[in-house]
Amino acid sequence: SIQNDDQNSSGNDSCRQKESTAQNERGLASKCSIGPVAGRKSFQLTVEGKFLLGSTTTSYHPDKNSHQNNKQTTRPPRECLEMLYTRGDMVQSLPLVGITLCGNRELPNEACAYFKSEENVLQFQNHIMQQHSNSFSSGETVTSWKQTLDNTVLPYAITFQAHPEYMTPIGCKVNYVNTVMAMEKHGAISQETSKVACEDTNLHYNALSCDSLDATVSAGVILGWFRQ
């Protein structure tokens, strides 16, 4: 999870901390409803998720074979968030001060934001509904829309069930692979699932890196850690 220091946070990422954040705020954590998960997964962003995590902070080349391949182009706002997962648990339900940012019917809370009060949640949701059409169609950066919000209605913590930290050279080739292999060794996943999880990651490394970096930077900007 990623949190502001003034909310008694240690500031970095662990699976237990994500569930702990939900439970401490009177949400509910449980075993993953679809069983242990390892590999690349993509989840649809909610309206709130698009507002907080949908803008792109990295640039990309839309077509490496294009005559414009020497120019960096701003990505359109994303609809989904695709990252790496190694987990056996889930956030089953959220407290009233939490909102889901991405997920699906089976796994509804794959990224979450937590606010200081229920009133702040309502203020935030009302604000983004008013800004909805402009914010998501213009491709503006997370910094530009943050300037329209008072800091008191921004979340103090953002959690990911995914592991964006895997998308570094060491994180992917060592930490991620070792975790997947450990899950296989302990019988949590099959040998085939383990193999696919590692091979698929190599095939989609660039896309996973972009989404993981964008999500991390966006969270940092929201919490006041980074400037753009």
Side-chain angles (χ1 to χ4, degrees):
S1 65
I2 303 175
Q3 300 177 326
N4 266 334
D5 290 339
D6 62 0
Q7 294 293 325
N8 299 317
S9 164
S10 62
N12 217 328
D13 198 347
S14 74
C15 286
R16 290 180 180 177
Q17 189 177 12
K18 299 163 195 172
E19 278 71 48
S20 176
T21 301
Q23 289 187 315
N24 287 343
E25 297 287 359
R26 299 185 183 277
L28 181 62
S30 65
K31 288 185 178 181
C32 186
S33 61
I34 63 171
V37 176
R40 175 178 62 96
K41 299 293 180 184
S42 178
F43 291 96
Q44 183 77 29
L45 289 165
T46 62
V47 173
E48 295 89 346
K50 291 175 185 177
F51 195 82
L52 291 175
L53 304 176
S55 66
T56 52
T57 58
T58 58
S59 298
Y60 81 129
H61 302 298
D63 183 356
K64 65 181 180 180
N65 297 318
S66 169
H67 67 281
Q68 296 180 338
N69 65 350
N70 291 323
K71 297 181 180 180
Q72 287 187 324
T73 306
T74 301
R75 279 185 171 189
R78 61 167 48 86
E79 296 289 326
C80 299
L81 196 60
E82 184 174 83
M83 293 196 284
L84 288 180
Y85 291 78
T86 51
R87 44 84 82 82
D89 48 26
M90 62 182 286
V91 176
Q92 184 173 329
S93 63
L94 291 173
L96 295 177
V97 295
I99 58 173
T100 182
L101 303 180
C102 72
N104 59 25
R105 181 174 297 180
E106 295 176 316
L107 302 171
N109 304 308
E110 292 302 290
C112 306
Y114 296 88
F115 294 78
K116 294 178 180 178
S117 68
E118 294 175 41
E119 181 183 5
N120 281 172
V121 172
L122 294 175
Q123 290 174 336
F124 174 79
Q125 290 177 324
N126 287 337
H127 179 88
I128 64 171
M129 290 307 296
Q130 294 172 2
Q131 301 294 325
H132 182 279
S133 59
N134 293 330
S135 297
F136 303 151
S137 61
S138 64
E140 60 186 354
T141 65
V142 69
T143 299
S144 61
W145 61 252
K146 181 184 174 184
Q147 294 173 351
T148 68
L149 274 168
D150 191 297
N151 284 335
T152 59
V153 299
L154 286 170
Y156 72 80
I158 294 177
T159 64
F160 299 96
Q161 279 290 144
H163 290 268
E165 76 278 7
Y166 280 153
M167 294 316 299
T168 64
I170 293 178
C172 187
K173 295 180 180 179
V174 179
N175 299 341
Y176 171 68
V177 171
N178 286 348
T179 303
V180 172
M181 296 299 292
M183 293 177 72
E184 177 191 341
K185 179 180 178 180
H186 289 88
I189 60 175
S190 67
Q191 183 178 15
E192 179 63 21
T193 297
S194 176
K195 179 182 178 182
V196 170
C198 294
E199 292 179 349
D200 180 75
T201 297
N202 290 330
L203 290 173
H204 297 90
Y205 186 90
N206 289 339
L208 286 164
S209 293
C210 285
D211 277 26
S212 296
L213 178 60
D214 282 347
T216 302
V217 172
S218 292
V221 171
I222 292 161
L223 300 177
W225 294 356
F226 306 141
R227 293 182 179 180
Q228 282 189 296

